[in-house]
PDB file of all heavy atoms in Angstrom:
ATOM      1  N   MET A 273      91.255 -50.591 143.761  1.00 68.00           N
ATOM      2  CA  MET A 273      91.874 -50.720 142.453  1.00 68.00           C
ATOM      3  C   MET A 273      90.863 -51.201 141.411  1.00 68.00           C
ATOM      4  O   MET A 273      90.928 -50.823 140.246  1.00 68.00           O
ATOM      5  CB  MET A 273      93.057 -51.689 142.516  1.00 68.00           C
ATOM      6  CG  MET A 273      94.182 -51.207 143.414  1.00 68.00           C
ATOM      7  SD  MET A 273      94.872 -49.622 142.890  1.00 68.00           S
ATOM      8  CE  MET A 273      95.591 -50.088 141.347  1.00 68.00           C
ATOM      9  N   ARG A 274      89.924 -52.043 141.819  1.00 65.00           N
ATOM     10  CA  ARG A 274      88.918 -52.533 140.889  1.00 65.00           C
ATOM     11  C   ARG A 274      88.091 -51.375 140.333  1.00 65.00           C
ATOM     12  O   ARG A 274      87.836 -51.294 139.131  1.00 65.00           O
ATOM     13  CB  ARG A 274      88.019 -53.555 141.577  1.00 65.00           C
ATOM     14  CG  ARG A 274      86.979 -54.187 140.649  1.00 65.00           C
ATOM     15  CD  ARG A 274      86.130 -55.179 141.421  1.00 65.00           C
ATOM     16  NE  ARG A 274      86.930 -56.282 141.905  1.00 65.00           N
ATOM     17  CZ  ARG A 274      87.218 -57.369 141.193  1.00 65.00           C
ATOM     18  NH1 ARG A 274      86.768 -57.479 139.949  1.00 65.00           N
ATOM     19  NH2 ARG A 274      87.942 -58.340 141.705  1.00 65.00           N
ATOM     20  N   LEU A 275      87.668 -50.472 141.197  1.00 64.00           N
ATOM     21  CA  LEU A 275      86.882 -49.316 140.751  1.00 64.00           C
ATOM     22  C   LEU A 275      87.715 -48.398 139.853  1.00 64.00           C
ATOM     23  O   LEU A 275      87.240 -47.872 138.854  1.00 64.00           O
ATOM     24  CB  LEU A 275      86.341 -48.532 141.952  1.00 64.00           C
ATOM     25  CG  LEU A 275      85.551 -47.275 141.621  1.00 64.00           C
ATOM     26  CD1 LEU A 275      84.261 -47.642 140.880  1.00 64.00           C
ATOM     27  CD2 LEU A 275      85.212 -46.504 142.888  1.00 64.00           C
ATOM     28  N   SER A 276      88.992 -48.253 140.206  1.00 62.00           N
ATOM     29  CA  SER A 276      89.848 -47.324 139.454  1.00 62.00           C
ATOM     30  C   SER A 276      90.172 -47.848 138.062  1.00 62.00           C
ATOM     31  O   SER A 276      90.196 -47.085 137.087  1.00 62.00           O
ATOM     32  CB  SER A 276      91.150 -47.067 140.225  1.00 62.00           C
ATOM     33  OG  SER A 276      90.880 -46.509 141.496  1.00 62.00           O
ATOM     34  N   LEU A 277      90.413 -49.152 137.957  1.00 60.00           N
ATOM     35  CA  LEU A 277      90.928 -49.691 136.703  1.00 60.00           C
ATOM     36  C   LEU A 277      89.873 -50.353 135.832  1.00 60.00           C
ATOM     37  O   LEU A 277      90.021 -50.413 134.618  1.00 60.00           O
ATOM     38  CB  LEU A 277      92.047 -50.699 137.001  1.00 60.00           C
ATOM     39  CG  LEU A 277      93.277 -50.117 137.703  1.00 60.00           C
ATOM     40  CD1 LEU A 277      94.271 -51.228 137.980  1.00 60.00           C
ATOM     41  CD2 LEU A 277      93.923 -49.022 136.883  1.00 60.00           C
ATOM     42  N   GLU A 278      88.815 -50.878 136.447  1.00 58.00           N
ATOM     43  CA  GLU A 278      87.859 -51.634 135.658  1.00 58.00           C
ATOM     44  C   GLU A 278      86.671 -50.811 135.192  1.00 58.00           C
ATOM     45  O   GLU A 278      85.937 -51.231 134.318  1.00 58.00           O
ATOM     46  CB  GLU A 278      87.342 -52.837 136.466  1.00 58.00           C
ATOM     47  CG  GLU A 278      88.277 -54.017 136.425  1.00 58.00           C
ATOM     48  CD  GLU A 278      87.564 -55.287 136.834  1.00 58.00           C
ATOM     49  OE1 GLU A 278      86.454 -55.187 137.409  1.00 58.00           O
ATOM     50  OE2 GLU A 278      88.092 -56.369 136.583  1.00 58.00           O
ATOM     51  N   THR A 279      86.439 -49.638 135.781  1.00 57.00           N
ATOM     52  CA  THR A 279      85.291 -48.835 135.373  1.00 57.00           C
ATOM     53  C   THR A 279      85.610 -48.143 134.050  1.00 57.00           C
ATOM     54  O   THR A 279      86.492 -47.282 134.001  1.00 57.00           O
ATOM     55  CB  THR A 279      84.955 -47.771 136.430  1.00 57.00           C
ATOM     56  OG1 THR A 279      84.753 -48.425 137.674  1.00 57.00           O
ATOM     57  CG2 THR A 279      83.697 -47.006 136.044  1.00 57.00           C
ATOM     58  N   PRO A 280      84.939 -48.498 132.936  1.00 57.00           N
ATOM     59  CA  PRO A 280      85.298 -47.931 131.622  1.00 57.00           C
ATOM     60  C   PRO A 280      84.788 -46.510 131.435  1.00 57.00           C
ATOM     61  O   PRO A 280      85.303 -45.778 130.607  1.00 57.00           O
ATOM     62  CB  PRO A 280      84.630 -48.896 130.638  1.00 57.00           C
ATOM     63  CG  PRO A 280      83.432 -49.421 131.393  1.00 57.00           C
ATOM     64  CD  PRO A 280      83.847 -49.488 132.837  1.00 57.00           C
ATOM     65  N   MET A 281      83.763 -46.130 132.182  1.00 66.00           N
ATOM     66  CA  MET A 281      83.147 -44.819 131.958  1.00 66.00           C
ATOM     67  C   MET A 281      83.929 -43.722 132.660  1.00 66.00           C
ATOM     68  O   MET A 281      84.495 -43.932 133.744  1.00 66.00           O
ATOM     69  CB  MET A 281      81.697 -44.833 132.461  1.00 66.00           C
ATOM     70  CG  MET A 281      80.793 -45.792 131.704  1.00 66.00           C
ATOM     71  SD  MET A 281      79.130 -45.817 132.405  1.00 66.00           S
ATOM     72  CE  MET A 281      79.452 -46.546 134.001  1.00 66.00           C
ATOM     73  N   THR A 282      83.924 -42.537 132.029  1.00 76.00           N
ATOM     74  CA  THR A 282      84.567 -41.375 132.656  1.00 76.00           C
ATOM     75  C   THR A 282      83.712 -40.826 133.774  1.00 76.00           C
ATOM     76  O   THR A 282      84.225 -40.447 134.836  1.00 76.00           O
ATOM     77  CB  THR A 282      84.821 -40.283 131.598  1.00 76.00           C
ATOM     78  OG1 THR A 282      85.615 -40.819 130.563  1.00 76.00           O
ATOM     79  CG2 THR A 282      85.539 -39.090 132.212  1.00 76.00           C
ATOM     80  N   LEU A 283      82.399 -40.760 133.547  1.00 85.00           N
ATOM     81  CA  LEU A 283      81.469 -40.260 134.557  1.00 85.00           C
ATOM     82  C   LEU A 283      80.797 -41.452 135.231  1.00 85.00           C
ATOM     83  O   LEU A 283      80.299 -42.363 134.566  1.00 85.00           O
ATOM     84  CB  LEU A 283      80.412 -39.350 133.918  1.00 85.00           C
ATOM     85  CG  LEU A 283      80.915 -38.055 133.283  1.00 85.00           C
ATOM     86  CD1 LEU A 283      79.746 -37.292 132.644  1.00 85.00           C
ATOM     87  CD2 LEU A 283      81.619 -37.174 134.294  1.00 85.00           C
ATOM     88  N   ILE A 284      80.784 -41.421 136.575  1.00 89.00           N
ATOM     89  CA  ILE A 284      80.146 -42.485 137.346  1.00 89.00           C
ATOM     90  C   ILE A 284      79.181 -41.850 138.336  1.00 89.00           C
ATOM     91  O   ILE A 284      79.277 -40.654 138.633  1.00 89.00           O
ATOM     92  CB  ILE A 284      81.193 -43.330 138.089  1.00 89.00           C
ATOM     93  CG1 ILE A 284      81.963 -42.466 139.103  1.00 89.00           C
ATOM     94  CG2 ILE A 284      82.149 -43.993 137.105  1.00 89.00           C
ATOM     95  CD1 ILE A 284      82.906 -43.253 139.979  1.00 89.00           C
ATOM     96  N   PRO A 285      78.238 -42.618 138.894  1.00 92.00           N
ATOM     97  CA  PRO A 285      77.345 -42.060 139.921  1.00 92.00           C
ATOM     98  C   PRO A 285      78.132 -41.618 141.150  1.00 92.00           C
ATOM     99  O   PRO A 285      79.152 -42.218 141.506  1.00 92.00           O
ATOM    100  CB  PRO A 285      76.402 -43.227 140.236  1.00 92.00           C
ATOM    101  CG  PRO A 285      76.471 -44.118 139.039  1.00 92.00           C
ATOM    102  CD  PRO A 285      77.862 -43.990 138.512  1.00 92.00           C
ATOM    103  N   ILE A 286      77.647 -40.579 141.781  1.00 93.00           N
ATOM    104  CA  ILE A 286      78.313 -40.069 142.982  1.00 93.00           C
ATOM    105  C   ILE A 286      78.360 -41.146 144.063  1.00 93.00           C
ATOM    106  O   ILE A 286      79.332 -41.239 144.842  1.00 93.00           O
ATOM    107  CB  ILE A 286      77.596 -38.797 143.477  1.00 93.00           C
ATOM    108  CG1 ILE A 286      77.879 -37.640 142.505  1.00 93.00           C
ATOM    109  CG2 ILE A 286      78.027 -38.430 144.885  1.00 93.00           C
ATOM    110  CD1 ILE A 286      77.188 -36.345 142.865  1.00 93.00           C
ATOM    111  N   LYS A 287      77.332 -41.997 144.124  1.00 93.00           N
ATOM    112  CA  LYS A 287      77.310 -43.067 145.120  1.00 93.00           C
ATOM    113  C   LYS A 287      78.516 -43.982 144.962  1.00 93.00           C
ATOM    114  O   LYS A 287      79.159 -44.385 145.946  1.00 93.00           O
ATOM    115  CB  LYS A 287      76.015 -43.857 144.991  1.00 93.00           C
ATOM    116  CG  LYS A 287      75.853 -44.930 146.047  1.00 93.00           C
ATOM    117  CD  LYS A 287      74.520 -45.650 145.908  1.00 93.00           C
ATOM    118  CE  LYS A 287      74.352 -46.714 146.991  1.00 93.00           C
ATOM    119  NZ  LYS A 287      73.059 -47.426 146.875  1.00 93.00           N
ATOM    120  N   ALA A 288      78.849 -44.341 143.698  1.00 90.00           N
ATOM    121  CA  ALA A 288      80.015 -45.193 143.451  1.00 90.00           C
ATOM    122  C   ALA A 288      81.305 -44.470 143.822  1.00 90.00           C
ATOM    123  O   ALA A 288      82.245 -45.084 144.358  1.00 90.00           O
ATOM    124  CB  ALA A 288      80.044 -45.620 141.984  1.00 90.00           C
ATOM    125  N   GLU A 289      81.376 -43.184 143.552  1.00 90.00           N
ATOM    126  CA  GLU A 289      82.568 -42.408 143.915  1.00 90.00           C
ATOM    127  C   GLU A 289      82.737 -42.354 145.433  1.00 90.00           C
ATOM    128  O   GLU A 289      83.867 -42.440 145.947  1.00 90.00           O
ATOM    129  CB  GLU A 289      82.445 -40.987 143.343  1.00 90.00           C
ATOM    130  CG  GLU A 289      83.579 -40.047 143.706  1.00 90.00           C
ATOM    131  CD  GLU A 289      84.917 -40.397 143.069  1.00 90.00           C
ATOM    132  OE1 GLU A 289      84.938 -41.269 142.165  1.00 90.00           O
ATOM    133  OE2 GLU A 289      85.930 -39.807 143.482  1.00 90.00           O
ATOM    134  N   LEU A 290      81.640 -42.231 146.152  1.00 93.00           N
ATOM    135  CA  LEU A 290      81.708 -42.208 147.624  1.00 93.00           C
ATOM    136  C   LEU A 290      82.184 -43.563 148.161  1.00 93.00           C
ATOM    137  O   LEU A 290      82.942 -43.618 149.155  1.00 93.00           O
ATOM    138  CB  LEU A 290      80.346 -41.842 148.206  1.00 93.00           C
ATOM    139  CG  LEU A 290      79.858 -40.417 147.893  1.00 93.00           C
ATOM    140  CD1 LEU A 290      78.447 -40.210 148.420  1.00 93.00           C
ATOM    141  CD2 LEU A 290      80.797 -39.371 148.479  1.00 93.00           C
ATOM    142  N   GLU A 291      81.745 -44.667 147.528  1.00 89.00           N
ATOM    143  CA  GLU A 291      82.231 -45.984 147.937  1.00 89.00           C
ATOM    144  C   GLU A 291      83.741 -46.094 147.723  1.00 89.00           C
ATOM    145  O   GLU A 291      84.466 -46.673 148.556  1.00 89.00           O
ATOM    146  CB  GLU A 291      81.500 -47.075 147.154  1.00 89.00           C
ATOM    147  CG  GLU A 291      80.018 -47.199 147.492  1.00 89.00           C
ATOM    148  CD  GLU A 291      79.318 -48.213 146.610  1.00 89.00           C
ATOM    149  OE1 GLU A 291      79.994 -48.789 145.730  1.00 89.00           O
ATOM    150  OE2 GLU A 291      78.100 -48.414 146.785  1.00 89.00           O
ATOM    151  N   HIS A 292      84.208 -45.566 146.615  1.00 86.00           N
ATOM    152  CA  HIS A 292      85.642 -45.546 146.331  1.00 86.00           C
ATOM    153  C   HIS A 292      86.396 -44.776 147.428  1.00 86.00           C
ATOM    154  O   HIS A 292      87.440 -45.242 147.928  1.00 86.00           O
ATOM    155  CB  HIS A 292      85.877 -44.894 144.960  1.00 86.00           C
ATOM    156  CG  HIS A 292      87.310 -44.728 144.602  1.00 86.00           C
ATOM    157  ND1 HIS A 292      88.070 -45.747 144.064  1.00 86.00           N
ATOM    158  CD2 HIS A 292      88.140 -43.656 144.700  1.00 86.00           C
ATOM    159  CE1 HIS A 292      89.295 -45.317 143.845  1.00 86.00           C
ATOM    160  NE2 HIS A 292      89.368 -44.042 144.222  1.00 86.00           N
ATOM    161  N   VAL A 293      85.867 -43.619 147.816  1.00 89.00           N
ATOM    162  CA  VAL A 293      86.504 -42.825 148.867  1.00 89.00           C
ATOM    163  C   VAL A 293      86.484 -43.581 150.196  1.00 89.00           C
ATOM    164  O   VAL A 293      87.451 -43.537 150.976  1.00 89.00           O
ATOM    165  CB  VAL A 293      85.799 -41.453 149.001  1.00 89.00           C
ATOM    166  CG1 VAL A 293      86.362 -40.662 150.173  1.00 89.00           C
ATOM    167  CG2 VAL A 293      85.945 -40.659 147.715  1.00 89.00           C
ATOM    168  N   GLN A 294      85.377 -44.291 150.472  1.00 89.00           N
ATOM    169  CA  GLN A 294      85.259 -45.047 151.724  1.00 89.00           C
ATOM    170  C   GLN A 294      86.344 -46.113 151.821  1.00 89.00           C
ATOM    171  O   GLN A 294      86.980 -46.282 152.876  1.00 89.00           O
ATOM    172  CB  GLN A 294      83.871 -45.681 151.810  1.00 89.00           C
ATOM    173  CG  GLN A 294      83.625 -46.468 153.094  1.00 89.00           C
ATOM    174  CD  GLN A 294      83.667 -45.580 154.328  1.00 89.00           C
ATOM    175  OE1 GLN A 294      83.025 -44.524 154.375  1.00 89.00           O
ATOM    176  NE2 GLN A 294      84.432 -46.002 155.333  1.00 89.00           N
ATOM    177  N   HIS A 295      86.595 -46.851 150.718  1.00 83.00           N
ATOM    178  CA  HIS A 295      87.664 -47.854 150.729  1.00 83.00           C
ATOM    179  C   HIS A 295      89.026 -47.200 150.978  1.00 83.00           C
ATOM    180  O   HIS A 295      89.855 -47.746 151.719  1.00 83.00           O
ATOM    181  CB  HIS A 295      87.686 -48.604 149.397  1.00 83.00           C
ATOM    182  CG  HIS A 295      86.447 -49.399 149.138  1.00 83.00           C
ATOM    183  ND1 HIS A 295      85.791 -50.112 150.114  1.00 83.00           N
ATOM    184  CD2 HIS A 295      85.724 -49.596 147.985  1.00 83.00           C
ATOM    185  CE1 HIS A 295      84.734 -50.713 149.599  1.00 83.00           C
ATOM    186  NE2 HIS A 295      84.661 -50.411 148.300  1.00 83.00           N
ATOM    187  N   TYR A 296      89.237 -46.048 150.364  1.00 84.00           N
ATOM    188  CA  TYR A 296      90.520 -45.353 150.543  1.00 84.00           C
ATOM    189  C   TYR A 296      90.690 -44.913 151.995  1.00 84.00           C
ATOM    190  O   TYR A 296      91.779 -45.049 152.584  1.00 84.00           O
ATOM    191  CB  TYR A 296      90.587 -44.153 149.601  1.00 84.00           C
ATOM    192  CG  TYR A 296      91.851 -43.343 149.747  1.00 84.00           C
ATOM    193  CD1 TYR A 296      93.073 -43.828 149.282  1.00 84.00           C
ATOM    194  CD2 TYR A 296      91.825 -42.086 150.354  1.00 84.00           C
ATOM    195  CE1 TYR A 296      94.231 -43.091 149.415  1.00 84.00           C
ATOM    196  CE2 TYR A 296      92.976 -41.337 150.487  1.00 84.00           C
ATOM    197  CZ  TYR A 296      94.178 -41.839 150.018  1.00 84.00           C
ATOM    198  OH  TYR A 296      95.331 -41.107 150.158  1.00 84.00           O
ATOM    199  N   ILE A 297      89.619 -44.398 152.596  1.00 88.00           N
ATOM    200  CA  ILE A 297      89.695 -43.940 153.989  1.00 88.00           C
ATOM    201  C   ILE A 297      89.957 -45.117 154.922  1.00 88.00           C
ATOM    202  O   ILE A 297      90.709 -44.994 155.913  1.00 88.00           O
ATOM    203  CB  ILE A 297      88.396 -43.197 154.370  1.00 88.00           C
ATOM    204  CG1 ILE A 297      88.325 -41.863 153.617  1.00 88.00           C
ATOM    205  CG2 ILE A 297      88.311 -42.969 155.868  1.00 88.00           C
ATOM    206  CD1 ILE A 297      87.030 -41.109 153.832  1.00 88.00           C
ATOM    207  N   GLU A 298      89.383 -46.288 154.638  1.00 83.00           N
ATOM    208  CA  GLU A 298      89.627 -47.462 155.471  1.00 83.00           C
ATOM    209  C   GLU A 298      91.112 -47.817 155.499  1.00 83.00           C
ATOM    210  O   GLU A 298      91.659 -48.188 156.546  1.00 83.00           O
ATOM    211  CB  GLU A 298      88.800 -48.638 154.951  1.00 83.00           C
ATOM    212  CG  GLU A 298      87.301 -48.485 155.195  1.00 83.00           C
ATOM    213  CD  GLU A 298      86.491 -49.584 154.528  1.00 83.00           C
ATOM    214  OE1 GLU A 298      87.128 -50.449 153.875  1.00 83.00           O
ATOM    215  OE2 GLU A 298      85.258 -49.580 154.637  1.00 83.00           O
ATOM    216  N   ILE A 299      91.770 -47.697 154.355  1.00 79.00           N
ATOM    217  CA  ILE A 299      93.213 -47.956 154.301  1.00 79.00           C
ATOM    218  C   ILE A 299      93.976 -46.922 155.118  1.00 79.00           C
ATOM    219  O   ILE A 299      94.892 -47.244 155.889  1.00 79.00           O
ATOM    220  CB  ILE A 299      93.696 -47.976 152.845  1.00 79.00           C
ATOM    221  CG1 ILE A 299      93.046 -49.135 152.079  1.00 79.00           C
ATOM    222  CG2 ILE A 299      95.208 -48.082 152.763  1.00 79.00           C
ATOM    223  CD1 ILE A 299      93.348 -49.153 150.593  1.00 79.00           C
ATOM    224  N   LEU A 300      93.585 -45.637 154.976  1.00 83.00           N
ATOM    225  CA  LEU A 300      94.287 -44.581 155.711  1.00 83.00           C
ATOM    226  C   LEU A 300      94.103 -44.731 157.216  1.00 83.00           C
ATOM    227  O   LEU A 300      95.039 -44.476 158.004  1.00 83.00           O
ATOM    228  CB  LEU A 300      93.768 -43.211 155.255  1.00 83.00           C
ATOM    229  CG  LEU A 300      94.130 -42.770 153.835  1.00 83.00           C
ATOM    230  CD1 LEU A 300      93.577 -41.370 153.560  1.00 83.00           C
ATOM    231  CD2 LEU A 300      95.635 -42.772 153.610  1.00 83.00           C
ATOM    232  N   LEU A 301      92.904 -45.102 157.670  1.00 83.00           N
ATOM    233  CA  LEU A 301      92.662 -45.241 159.106  1.00 83.00           C
ATOM    234  C   LEU A 301      93.522 -46.353 159.708  1.00 83.00           C
ATOM    235  O   LEU A 301      94.002 -46.244 160.848  1.00 83.00           O
ATOM    236  CB  LEU A 301      91.172 -45.520 159.349  1.00 83.00           C
ATOM    237  CG  LEU A 301      90.228 -44.344 159.090  1.00 83.00           C
ATOM    238  CD1 LEU A 301      88.777 -44.780 159.241  1.00 83.00           C
ATOM    239  CD2 LEU A 301      90.518 -43.185 160.034  1.00 83.00           C
ATOM    240  N   ILE A 302      93.727 -47.425 158.932  1.00 77.00           N
ATOM    241  CA  ILE A 302      94.613 -48.481 159.412  1.00 77.00           C
ATOM    242  C   ILE A 302      96.054 -48.009 159.410  1.00 77.00           C
ATOM    243  O   ILE A 302      96.814 -48.246 160.364  1.00 77.00           O
ATOM    244  CB  ILE A 302      94.445 -49.749 158.543  1.00 77.00           C
ATOM    245  CG1 ILE A 302      93.027 -50.307 158.693  1.00 77.00           C
ATOM    246  CG2 ILE A 302      95.480 -50.808 158.921  1.00 77.00           C
ATOM    247  CD1 ILE A 302      92.730 -51.456 157.748  1.00 77.00           C
TER     248      ILE A 302
END
Side-chain angles (χ1 to χ4, degrees):
M273 296 300 294
R274 183 180 296 275
L275 178 65
S276 300
L277 297 178
E278 278 198 345
T279 304
M281 296 177 293
T282 303
L283 296 178
I284 62 174
I286 289 178
K287 184 178 181 180
E289 177 68 11
L290 294 175
E291 292 175 359
H292 176 82
V293 175
Q294 181 64 49
H295 296 320
Y296 178 73
I297 291 175
E298 289 173 0
I299 296 174
L300 291 182
L301 289 175
I302 296 173

